């Protein structure tokens, strides 16, 4: 009996020892798992935080300035005579055409933050070469032709020489005094033409310019092609009536061309810069700008760029600089003006700007890569690549400089 009791006690003792050992092993194993998990979470936290900080950081202002000056110097060196006509696609074109006018919008923006005499002279000589007159004369209704008037007006603001603005005003007055509002039937025209009216309204104080540009903008947005070029459901624009539904991209989505939407986006901020705070339709422009910003944010690629087709990444997908520049231009301006939330949009701007200055700007000569050539949809102006020179380089450079100057102004 005593033996049996002793055996039971011995067995219990052995079991307790084994249990204790097991508990110790499990405890140590659990600690290891816990420590590994903590280490993993710590590394994940550090990595994520680093990425967030990295994504939100803009380059040093000196780096941004160096990039835009380098790209601009490339263009000025290539085209030393600003009045020289271009010969593209078997046709001679005056240097007052819209592609060059967009470049001068960029140069004027650069001049506001880096007022060098050589920039002023380059703009002055260009205006002189064209007698400060829209392409096609004072009777043109084509926004591509009077896009150059934007820079003429800005030069007048510097010099106060009436001759610089006279023809732009005569041309705009002709349009104001006629009833038709459908001249801007393609959305690119909104950027080419609308800021001219905003600038004239600002300078003269005459409401008629603001009223006319609103009527023309509203026609393009809500009426052109039967129901307008703007789709409020997606916050984006069809390029012209040829791309209204039922037209679809290969993946079944609506066709929203990147640069076309970029033109509208740029036009909105160029208008908002000019019109008074109490202008009747100011809030309408702001509402469209915010809606577009939200839509564009969703379309950004992981590498920071936007595709040429905003809703179909496989339809001539890849990096593209001109549309990306226009979106950076608009978002950076919106942040600076307090219209867009900085925490939300600064990472978008930073990612895109960093990508462009690191991957699109040629370090040897300042040539700008990944610019889609002229056209009206994703398939046009292809191929797009680092070493592919588009048919016109000027507008892509202008868009890039516009973006850079707004990035430079950010705190």
């Amino acid at each position: 009996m005593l033996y049996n009791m002793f055996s039971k006690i011995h067995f219990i003792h052995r079991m307790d020892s084994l249990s204790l050992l097991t508990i110790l092993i499990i405890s140590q194993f659990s600690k290891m798992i816990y420590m590994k998990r903590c280490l993993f979470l710590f590394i994940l936290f550090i990595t994520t935080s680093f990425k967030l900080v990295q994504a939100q950081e803009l380059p040093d202002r000196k780096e941004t300035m160096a990039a835009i000056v380098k790209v601009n110097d490339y263009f000025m060196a290539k085209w030393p005579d600003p009045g020289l006509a271009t010969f593209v696609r078997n046709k001679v074109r005056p240097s007052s055409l819209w592609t060059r006018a967009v470049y001068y919008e960029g140069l004027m923006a650069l001049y506001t933050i880096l007022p060098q005499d050589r920039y002023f002279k380059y703009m002055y000589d260009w205006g002189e070469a064209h007698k400060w007159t829209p392409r096609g004369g004072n009777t043109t209704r084509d926004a591509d032709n009077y896009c150059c008037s934007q820079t003429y007006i800005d030069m007048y603001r510097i010099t106060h020489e009436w001759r610089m603005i006279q023809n732009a005003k005569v041309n705009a007055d002709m349009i104001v005094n006629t009833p038709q509002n459908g001249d801007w039937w393609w959305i690119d025209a909104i950027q080419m033409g609308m800021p001219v009216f905003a600038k004239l309204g600002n300078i003269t104080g005459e409401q008629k310019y603001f009223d006319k540009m609103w009527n023309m903008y509203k026609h393009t947005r809500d009426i052109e092609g039967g129901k307008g070029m703007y789709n409020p459901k997606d916050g984006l624009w069809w390029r012209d009536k040829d791309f209204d539904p039922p037209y679809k991209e290969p993946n079944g989505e609506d066709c929203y061309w990147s640069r076309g939407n970029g033109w509208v986006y740029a036009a909105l901020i160029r208008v908002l810069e000019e019109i008074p705070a109490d202008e009747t339709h100011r809030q309408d422009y702001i509402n469209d700008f915010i809606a577009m910003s939200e839509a564009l944010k969703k379309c950004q690629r992981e590498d920071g760029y936007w595709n040429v087709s905003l809703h179909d990444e496989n339809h001539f997908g890849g990096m593209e600089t001109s549309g990306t520049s226009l979106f950076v231009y608009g978002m950076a301006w919106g942040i600076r003006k307090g219209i867009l939330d900085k925490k939300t949009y600064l990472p978008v701007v930073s990612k895109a700007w960093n990508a462009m200055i690191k991957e699109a700007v040629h370090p040897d000569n300042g040539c700008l890569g990944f610019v889609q050539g002229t056209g009206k949809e994703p398939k046009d102006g292809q191929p797009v690549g680092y070493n592919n020179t588009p048919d016109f380089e000027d507008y892509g450079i202008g868009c890039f400089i516009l973006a850079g100057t707004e990035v430079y102004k950010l705190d």
Side-chain angles (χ1 to χ4, degrees):
M1 189 174 194
L2 288 172
Y3 174 79
N4 290 337
M5 186 181 295
F6 177 79
S7 298
K8 287 179 181 179
I9 291 170
H10 179 67
F11 176 75
I12 292 168
H13 177 71
R14 287 184 61 200
M15 287 298 293
D16 287 345
S17 299
L18 287 171
S19 298
L20 182 61
L21 182 61
T22 302
I23 290 168
L24 288 171
I25 292 171
I26 292 172
S27 175
Q28 291 300 316
F29 187 68
S30 298
K31 285 181 180 178
M32 288 174 63
I33 293 175
Y34 177 74
M35 288 177 68
K36 285 183 178 180
R37 185 179 179 188
C38 288
L39 182 61
F40 171 76
L41 291 173
F42 177 73
I43 292 171
L44 181 64
F45 172 76
I46 294 297
T47 304
T48 304
S49 299
F50 176 74
K51 285 182 178 179
L52 285 172
V53 170
Q54 190 179 43
Q56 292 177 17
E57 282 187 352
L58 288 171
D60 182 88
R61 273 183 163 183
K62 291 181 180 179
E63 185 179 351
T64 289
M65 179 63 80
I68 54 181
V69 167
K70 189 179 189 70
V71 170
N72 184 67
D73 283 351
Y74 160 82
F75 185 80
M76 288 179 64
K78 188 170 183 177
W79 295 93
D81 180 357
L84 186 67
T86 61
F87 185 75
V88 180
R89 296 204 304 266
N90 299 316
K91 185 177 179 180
V92 176
R93 305 163 196 267
S95 65
S96 55
L97 80 169
W98 71 267
T99 66
R100 190 61 56 87
V102 171
Y103 161 74
Y104 280 100
E105 291 175 37
L107 183 57
M108 178 58 73
L110 175 56
Y111 183 75
T112 63
I113 60 172
L114 189 66
Q116 294 189 358
D117 290 343
R118 65 191 184 111
Y119 298 155
F120 178 87
K121 185 178 187 304
Y122 201 63
M123 292 186 287
Y124 183 88
D125 290 348
W126 177 65
E128 284 287 289
H130 300 292
K131 297 180 171 47
W132 307 98
T133 301
R135 181 189 178 194
N138 292 342
T139 59
T140 182
R141 301 190 69 94
D142 188 336
D144 284 353
N145 288 342
Y146 58 84
C147 181
C148 53
S149 293
Q150 294 188 47
T151 300
Y152 297 165
I153 295 167
D154 287 340
M155 286 292 287
Y156 163 77
R157 284 169 157 160
I158 298 170
T159 66
H160 303 290
E161 294 184 34
W162 182 252
R163 65 194 181 89
M164 293 180 174
I165 197 176
Q166 182 177 358
N167 291 313
K169 188 175 185 303
V170 169
N171 179 228
D173 285 344
M174 178 272 295
I175 297 172
V176 167
N177 294 326
T178 52
Q180 58 264 46
N181 294 316
D183 289 347
W184 301 339
W185 52 265
W186 75 111
I187 62 174
D188 313 31
I190 294 175
Q191 195 287 141
M192 307 304 156
M194 193 170 173
V196 172
F197 292 87
K199 289 173 184 290
L200 285 172
N202 183 314
I203 288 173
T204 65
E206 295 185 67
Q207 183 66 30
K208 66 180 183 179
Y209 297 109
F210 298 148
D211 291 342
K212 186 63 175 182
M213 75 176 185
W214 168 256
N215 292 335
M216 294 174 76
Y217 175 77
K218 182 173 175 55
H219 179 95
T220 308
R221 188 184 72 172
D222 302 332
I223 300 169
E224 178 64 33
K227 60 179 180 180
M229 296 298 102
Y230 179 62
N231 184 359
K233 173 178 163 289
D234 289 336
L236 296 170
W237 297 66
W238 299 294
R239 197 268 182 178
D240 58 56
K241 65 182 180 181
D242 291 344
F243 299 95
D244 281 1
Y247 185 94
K248 297 291 182 183
E249 289 286 76
N251 69 349
E253 291 281 342
D254 282 12
C255 180
Y256 299 122
W257 180 42
S258 176
R259 191 165 66 235
N261 277 269
W263 291 136
V264 178
Y265 201 52
L268 288 170
I269 71 170
R270 293 177 73 77
V271 166
L272 288 167
E273 275 284 290
E274 301 288 345
I275 61 177
D278 61 351
E279 206 285 320
T280 307
H281 296 289
R282 183 177 180 85
Q283 192 58 49
D284 295 306
Y285 297 131
I286 290 174
N287 292 343
D288 287 353
F289 174 73
I290 292 173
M292 286 192 73
S293 299
E294 293 171 352
L296 291 167
K297 180 179 180 295
K298 297 175 184 176
C299 300
Q300 188 180 33
R301 292 160 50 98
E302 282 297 317
D303 59 14
Y305 288 85
W306 277 263
N307 291 299
V308 293
S309 180
L310 294 176
H311 277 195
D312 190 345
E313 62 184 12
N314 295 316
H315 192 208
F316 295 94
M319 297 184 288
E320 202 285 311
T321 307
S322 64
T324 297
S325 293
L326 291 168
F327 301 147
V328 169
Y329 174 47
M331 288 184 189
W333 179 88
I335 293 167
R336 186 167 64 85
K337 294 294 183 177
I339 297 173
L340 299 180
D341 178 63
K342 187 173 184 178
K343 289 183 180 179
T344 302
Y345 286 94
L346 185 59
V348 180
V349 169
S350 300
K351 184 188 287 187
W353 183 245
N354 279 314
M356 287 193 291
I357 63 174
K358 290 175 182 176
E359 297 165 6
V361 178
H362 289 219
D364 55 341
N365 62 3
C367 178
L368 192 64
F370 302 108
V371 176
Q372 184 186 15
T374 56
K376 65 176 187 176
E377 59 180 307
K379 72 176 180 60
D380 293 337
Q382 298 288 341
V384 175
Y386 181 75
N387 290 313
N388 292 110
T389 303
D391 47 6
F392 294 90
E393 291 184 276
D394 38 15
Y395 62 84
I397 289 171
C399 293
F400 180 82
I401 297 173
L402 286 170
T405 55
E406 278 302 322
V407 168
Y408 182 84
K409 293 175 186 177
L410 287 175
D411 294 332

